[in-house]
Amino acid sequence: MATPESRYTEIGAFDAKTRLSEILRKVEEGERFTITNRGKPVADIVPTQMKDKRRAAEAVRRLLAMPKIEGVSSETVREWIEEGRK
């Protein structure tokens, strides 16, 4: 089986049907599957994007909750940002 966030793991349709619960648990952990029928890829099972959207919303919420920098000019903050990019 492939590791989470990597390439898709191929699985035959019959095996996918008989192991659906196991496959769904692995998909929840980030693994991706391609279901094949007689060796031909026919469908992909991938994690829902809702998890990513929730993570993004949480990141934005945390950024907005950060304390504001006071007593430092915006130019100085820009210089700090540029220094960090080098």
Side-chain angles (χ1 to χ4, degrees), residues 5 27-30 47-57:
E5 305 287 330
V27 169
E28 280 184 316
E29 295 170 1
T48 181
Q49 294 181 1
M50 289 305 296
K51 184 176 181 181
D52 292 337
K53 289 179 182 178
R54 285 192 300 266
R55 286 162 117 183

Side-chain angles (χ1 to χ4, degrees), residues 17-79:
K17 182 176 83 168
T18 60
R19 297 175 43 204
L20 183 60
S21 294
E22 174 191 348
I23 290 168
L24 291 177
R25 277 193 300 277
K26 291 183 178 192
V27 169
E28 280 184 316
E29 295 170 1
E31 194 164 338
R32 299 160 185 264
F33 291 84
T34 296
I35 298 176
T36 61
N37 189 12
R38 296 185 176 145
K40 178 183 173 188
V42 293
D44 293 325
I45 300 178
V46 298
T48 181
Q49 294 181 1
M50 289 305 296
K51 184 176 181 181
D52 292 337
K53 289 179 182 178
R54 285 192 300 266
R55 286 162 117 183
E58 177 62 16
V60 169
R61 187 192 67 73
R62 287 182 178 188
L63 283 171
L64 292 174
M66 290 178 69
K68 306 289 185 232
I69 299 174
E70 295 182 17
V72 179
S73 70
S74 58
E75 290 85 23
T76 301
V77 172
R78 278 195 190 91
E79 288 173 10

